[in-house]
Amino acid sequence: MSGQSSLERMQWMQMRLALASARPPRGKRSLVWQPEPRGAGMARRGQQILGGLWHLAGQVVEAPGADPWDIPAPSTPFEMQLHGFGWLDDVLTAGGAEARRQSQAWVASWMKRHGKGSGPGWTPALTGRRLLRWISHAPELLRGMDGDMQARFFDLIYRQAIWLRRNWSDAPEGLSRVEALTGLLYAGLTLEGMDDIAPEATRGLQSAVQQDVGEDGGIAARNPEALLELATLLGWAIEALGARDAVPPALRDAQSRIVPTLRALRHADGGLARFHGGSRGLPGRLDRVLVTSGIRERNDSGLAMGFVPLSHGRTTIIVDAEAPPQGAVSGSAHASTLAFEMTSGNCPVIVNCGPGGAFGPDWHRAGRATASHSTLSIDGVSSARIGPLLAQGGRRIAPLIQGPKKVQWQRSASRRASTLLMSHDGYVRSHGLTHLRRLVLSTDGRHLDGEDSLRAISNTDKERLEDAQTEAKLQGVGFTCRFHLHPDAEAELDMGGRAVSITLPSGEVWVFRPGRSITLTVEPSVYLEPGRLKPRPAQQVVLSDRVMKYAATIDWTLTRAQEATELPPSPAETVL
């Protein structure tokens, strides 16, 4: 306890008292229903953990033979994943007596060290996550355990369930609260003598999804991967309640809105669009959610959680066409307005750099900047700014501030192409300039025309731009259009530096050309992929110009010049 503040010691004592008062009912302790393991583990990752390589939250600790609770956690996200026990899915998927024995030992060690309320794992969300894993893996964990250890295991499951019943409302609204309530629901459905918990958890879930899920099937954070995680938990809850024919209509209604939106945010290669702190999603998770839901509809309203999908032939494009999240839900939001990602068949082509939180605070902040997205940015300025750190839900976040207020989009279609016109005012405050973007995708998916403009529209905007020009010593306001490439795509300047050839793993070749004489470069970039140990090096195509008067325009084309020569490999498990 040394090094703890008096407030932390008081909170810890309150936790211990709360847990001590969570006395399970007398009687037999057992599972009246055994659900299937909920998480889809990776056997390879499980073997690595058994060998002492703990790869959590994008960070790695090598500790062969060590008790995980002796490992100094390199970050709070690492510590949260460790105490949430999601890694049990991987270890037990590895299979065999050694995997079972080691899992039992690590669970027993946690019970001894933290079972009385100590440690960072006693938050509603982590307790719900841990209950889900302990309950769903109970047959394997209990196999071969002596009677005394089995009794202790069940006692602590019951105590956690009672503690969670009293404290789930302390979880922040959104995904954390849904995770807490799903764990509580499973406890109520599976633990003998605790069936009175299930109705309360069900009512809480109904309220949570009605509050969190909009009519368009989206969430306020506008994070596609967070929407997938919420859909996963909701699906587990519906499946568990369905075994008793007790699924409330509100839960099915929420699922019927979410799944079509997830389909709209899915690229041709099966991965999610990477926006606002979200990555592509765990391998196979999106497919499982879509299949097990039984819902085949797709959100074709034009705007899915603020994103506009375009799809023709083998090409998909997903564009951020709404203002970024604000306030408490914007702690991981990005300044990505009007940015797009593009996939051709099974190969991502144009991407955003992605979420950098797994690689530390500097990468987290850099990944949120406009320059880390495939869109236009004024030199040194993002379309939304990152505010100061604020305390929220037991953690500190830096919300987005001063982002675009007015974002417009219009979509039209003809026999030859689909056209998307968009604009945002994120640079009006600083420079008096509005960003306008036009994207035209041919109906065969082989040709993308683009145009990016900066314009001072009103007299007030022109005066503001003149002030910015004066500060720039009349050298013009510099801006760039960036097109970040997936690390598996290879870019090479061609045609005497007037074009860029982009070769994909399938052998497909796309050619990027600016429409007029303008500075065209291929520069280094990064691809921030949470499952990796470090950012992956990548490339970006960059167009640079300056606003000298009241408007400037860059036009460009991206054309498939050579078809695929072979099918690329299917997405594999994350490699180290």
Side-chain angles (χ1 to χ4, degrees):
M1 297 287 291
S2 61
Q4 288 186 317
S5 68
S6 58
L7 177 59
E8 289 173 326
R9 286 195 295 271
M10 183 179 298
Q11 291 173 335
W12 181 74
M13 288 301 297
Q14 290 173 342
M15 188 79 71
R16 291 198 65 176
L17 289 171
L19 189 62
S21 67
R23 298 190 182 279
R26 293 184 178 182
K28 187 178 179 181
R29 311 287 175 79
S30 65
L31 300 178
V32 296
W33 171 63
Q34 178 55 55
E36 292 292 324
R38 291 294 134 206
M42 296 182 183
R44 187 164 180 259
R45 181 70 63 86
Q47 291 291 350
Q48 292 167 347
I49 292 174
L50 290 170
L53 189 69
W54 293 84
H55 183 196
L56 304 175
Q59 295 175 298
V60 171
V61 172
E62 293 187 56
D67 188 313
W69 319 115
D70 289 329
I71 297 174
S75 69
T76 297
F78 184 102
E79 194 171 51
M80 290 173 64
Q81 290 195 16
L82 189 64
H83 284 261
F85 278 83
W87 47 266
L88 266 182
D89 298 337
D90 300 318
V91 174
L92 291 175
T93 298
E98 172 60 17
R100 182 178 67 254
R101 185 194 65 79
Q102 196 63 76
S103 297
Q104 291 170 334
W106 287 334
V107 168
S109 179
W110 190 91
M111 290 165 56
K112 181 179 180 180
R113 294 174 182 235
H114 303 295
K116 294 183 178 180
S118 64
W122 288 95
T123 67
L126 288 182
T127 303
R129 187 186 308 176
R130 191 166 53 247
L131 274 173
L132 273 169
R133 266 52 185 206
W134 284 21
I135 290 172
S136 61
H137 292 301
E140 197 71 5
L141 291 173
L142 292 169
R143 194 171 156 197
M145 265 191 189
D146 62 53
D148 180 62
M149 183 57 71
Q150 286 193 15
R152 290 172 56 197
F153 177 77
F154 270 111
D155 183 74
L156 189 51
I157 283 185
Y158 275 75
R159 286 180 180 271
Q160 288 180 88
I162 296 171
W163 181 89
L164 187 57
R165 183 181 195 178
R166 296 174 179 175
N167 295 278
W168 67 261
S169 60
D170 292 337
E173 294 177 354
L175 185 58
S176 293
R177 181 166 294 186
V178 171
E179 192 163 32
L181 285 164
T182 305
L184 184 63
L185 174 65
Y186 267 71
L189 293 174
T190 61
L191 299 180
E192 186 170 3
M194 302 288 282
D195 52 343
D196 61 323
I197 288 180
E200 178 183 341
T202 303
R203 289 192 297 271
L205 271 175
Q206 290 182 81
S207 176
V209 298
Q210 287 172 337
Q211 182 172 348
D212 297 338
V213 182
E215 287 301 317
D216 66 343
I219 55 177
R222 299 192 56 228
N223 177 334
E225 188 177 19
L227 183 65
L228 171 60
E229 292 303 308
L230 192 151
T232 300
L233 292 166
L234 182 58
W236 293 350
I238 289 173
E239 184 178 342
L241 288 166
R244 297 189 175 191
D245 297 321
V247 183
L251 298 187
R252 290 204 185 275
D253 288 346
Q255 186 183 49
S256 70
R257 297 196 303 274
I258 293 174
V259 171
T261 293
L262 284 174
R263 288 190 184 279
L265 299 178
R266 186 180 192 236
H267 278 296
D269 67 339
L272 282 171
R274 292 159 25 103
F275 286 95
H276 296 298
S279 194
R280 291 171 51 85
L282 291 175
R285 177 159 288 184
L286 177 57
D287 287 340
R288 283 192 296 275
V289 166
L290 298 180
V291 170
T292 58
S293 72
I295 298 169
R296 301 291 178 260
E297 289 80 9
R298 171 189 167 98
N299 184 342
D300 290 323
S301 64
L303 196 66
M305 201 169 75
F307 301 96
V308 177
L310 294 176
S311 179
H312 287 305
R314 298 168 54 244
T315 303
T316 55
I317 292 173
I318 298 176
V319 192
D320 186 353
E322 196 168 82
Q326 297 289 306
V329 298
S330 69
S332 293
H334 290 200
S336 58
T337 310
L338 304 196
F340 77 96
E341 291 194 318
M342 173 183 144
T343 295
S344 179
N346 206 32
C347 296
V349 186
I350 306 296
V351 297
N352 298 311
C353 290
F359 308 105
D362 291 340
W363 279 115
H364 177 58
R365 190 176 186 91
R368 301 175 70 186
T370 301
S372 294
H373 300 80
S374 293
T375 187
L376 177 149
S377 62
I378 292 178
D379 293 353
V381 182
S382 284
S383 59
R385 264 61 78 194
I386 299 175
L389 286 170
L390 300 175
Q392 191 250 335
R395 58 194 180 101
R396 295 174 67 80
I397 64 166
L400 282 187
I401 58 173
Q402 299 178 6
K405 300 296 183 185
K406 186 177 182 181
V407 182
Q408 297 179 301
W409 68 278
Q410 180 181 347
R411 180 176 174 173
S412 60
S414 68
R415 289 189 305 108
R416 295 185 177 182
S418 290
T419 300
L420 183 60
L421 300 174
M422 302 167 289
S423 67
H424 80 78
D425 61 354
Y427 298 114
V428 168
R429 178 195 295 264
S430 59
H431 293 79
L433 292 168
T434 295
H435 175 202
L436 299 94
R437 166 164 267 188
R438 178 174 65 90
L439 299 176
V440 183
L441 179 63
S442 63
T443 51
D444 61 6
R446 296 174 55 90
H447 190 83
L448 177 65
D449 276 315
E451 181 182 272
D452 286 282
S453 302
L454 285 172
R455 296 181 186 176
I457 297 174
S458 68
N459 289 333
T460 301
D461 294 345
K462 292 176 181 178
E463 291 174 0
R464 192 167 296 162
L465 176 60
E466 290 168 358
D467 291 341
Q469 296 276 25
T470 300
E471 291 180 11
K473 299 180 179 179
L474 303 181
Q475 297 300 306
V477 174
F479 68 97
T480 54
C481 282
R482 301 178 186 273
F483 304 85
H484 295 275
L485 304 179
H486 189 272
D488 292 336
E490 297 180 3
E492 183 178 356
L493 280 172
D494 208 348
M495 298 177 61
R498 297 310 310 145
V500 177
S501 295
I502 303 169
T503 304
L504 307 183
S506 62
E508 195 171 279
V509 177
W510 288 76
V511 176
F512 182 98
R513 294 186 181 92
R516 62 182 176 85
S517 180
I518 197 171
T519 303
L520 167 67
T521 57
V522 175
E523 301 179 7
S525 180
V526 293
Y527 188 75
L528 302 171
E529 191 173 7
R532 297 272 176 167
L533 299 183
K534 56 185 179 180
R536 296 178 68 185
Q539 296 172 287
Q540 60 177 312
V541 178
V542 181
L543 301 177
S544 305
D545 201 1
R546 306 189 80 82
V547 181
M548 300 302 297
K549 296 183 179 179
Y550 294 126
T553 299
I554 290 177
D555 57 330
W556 48 270
T557 62
L558 187 57
T559 305
R560 186 190 301 154
Q562 179 176 307
E563 297 296 334
T565 56
E566 61 181 22
L567 290 176
S570 298
E573 291 185 3
T574 302
V575 294
L576 298 180

